[in-house]
Amino acid sequence: MEIEWHDDTRVTVTIHQSWMDTYAKCPEKARRGIESPSPPSDATTLGTGMHAACAAVLEGESDPHQSLRDAMFEEFAHPEFKWTGNGPQTKSQLISYASKLYECWEAEALPVLAHPVSVEHKFRIPIGTREIGGLAVTLVIEGTWDYEDENLMYDWKTASSLRAYGPQALRKAVQPTMYTLAHVLETGAPFSSVIPFRYGVVLKKAQPEFVWKDTFRHEGDWAWLIEQMWAACRLWVALPEGPWPLIDEGWICSAKWCQFWSDCKGKPRQLETESWNQS
């Protein structure tokens, strides 16, 4: 979520799918991330490198591996770059492994892709303006989809397992909903359309494996996402300093994967007992 004030009564709120995905897992982590976005890590940099190489070859560049290296060194240069302790432990090892992931994608995905309609397509689309707490709030969605041909929208992923790509997880995923919504709004396709979306997933194994995972979205999905985003806007107006709902389920609530953990769930605290008696 990015906040742009125009004056004391008008504000634009821009939401990316990654922020909404975090919001769905833990609203408080998402709120804190407005001012302090998560720094890159070895895990995210693997994906960044592979994406850069995929985009380079799809756009006709001659050396996708150089694009991979350039993208990864840009992430390494971040002052808060974080090593999670999983997998390769040096920059050169991480680059080498990212190249293996890309080569798996190149061997399995690239040969079956049709002629692209768009590669790394950026969008920024206003959804509307509503009055919330005395403010005129304009909601905008923004992002980049990886690839589109005449039949499908695609996104390339790296993953340790397919847990996030099971049938239920696919139906609840934010990214396909936001990207297909953006596609419909940009192209003028009817809201009665059913838009397919395909993940190309490279599994992070000693010998990487490639899997296609398909899902779809329709009008009901888009309407629900829009209401979720407006709800997040209302929460921001009402509680800009938080706290928002605190969710401690799953892997995201840990020192390893949340930079706010030590000041949240991991913060030492005692039970407040002033208002009731202990027997």
Side-chain angles (χ1 to χ4, degrees), residues 2 35 37 55 61 67 80 112 137 148 161 195 200 204 207 234 260 263 274 276 278:
E2 297 170 2
E35 297 296 333
E61 295 183 21
S67 297
E80 296 180 36
V112 302
V137 180
E148 179 190 10
S161 75
I195 306 296
K204 295 184 286 187
Q207 292 299 321
R234 289 192 293 272
F260 311 116
D263 190 46
E274 293 89 346
W276 53 281
Q278 291 179 298

Side-chain angles (χ1 to χ4, degrees), residues 252-272:
I252 196 172
C253 188
S254 65
K256 184 175 183 178
W257 297 112
C258 179
Q259 74 268 39
F260 311 116
W261 188 84
S262 62
D263 190 46
C264 189
K265 178 66 182 292
K267 184 177 182 179
R269 51 171 56 84
Q270 293 180 326
L271 185 66
E272 297 179 3

Side-chain angles (χ1 to χ4, degrees), residues 227-247:
E227 287 310 309
Q228 287 181 307
M229 291 190 292
W230 280 121
C233 291
R234 289 192 293 272
L235 193 53
W236 170 74
V237 170
L239 292 170
E241 303 302 321
W244 291 5
L246 303 153
I247 310 298

Side-chain angles (χ1 to χ4, degrees), residues 2-112:
E2 297 170 2
I3 310 299
E4 181 185 0
W5 288 93
H6 304 292
D7 54 39
D8 291 343
T9 61
R10 297 182 303 124
V11 62
T12 295
V13 176
T14 301
I15 293 182
H16 297 250
Q17 65 84 20
S18 56
W19 187 88
M20 277 303 294
D21 184 67
T22 300
Y23 175 81
K25 293 181 174 73
C26 179
E28 176 63 6
K29 176 175 168 61
R31 181 196 70 81
R32 294 188 183 209
I34 295 171
E35 297 296 333
S36 301
S38 298
S41 68
D42 49 356
T44 61
T45 299
L46 274 176
T48 298
M50 192 192 81
H51 271 84
C54 295
V57 73
L58 289 168
E59 291 174 338
E61 295 183 21
S62 59
D63 189 357
H65 288 278
Q66 184 61 52
S67 297
L68 179 149
R69 290 188 291 271
D70 290 345
M72 295 183 73
F73 273 110
E74 186 173 338
E75 298 293 274
F76 293 147
H78 192 285
E80 296 180 36
F81 179 87
K82 180 179 179 180
W83 291 94
T84 63
N86 290 348
Q89 298 298 304
T90 68
K91 294 176 182 179
S92 61
Q93 289 175 350
L94 200 68
I95 290 171
S96 178
Y97 189 59
S99 293
K100 287 183 68 174
L101 298 178
Y102 164 71
E103 287 162 5
C104 176
W105 175 91
E106 182 183 48
E108 299 294 334
L110 186 59
V112 302

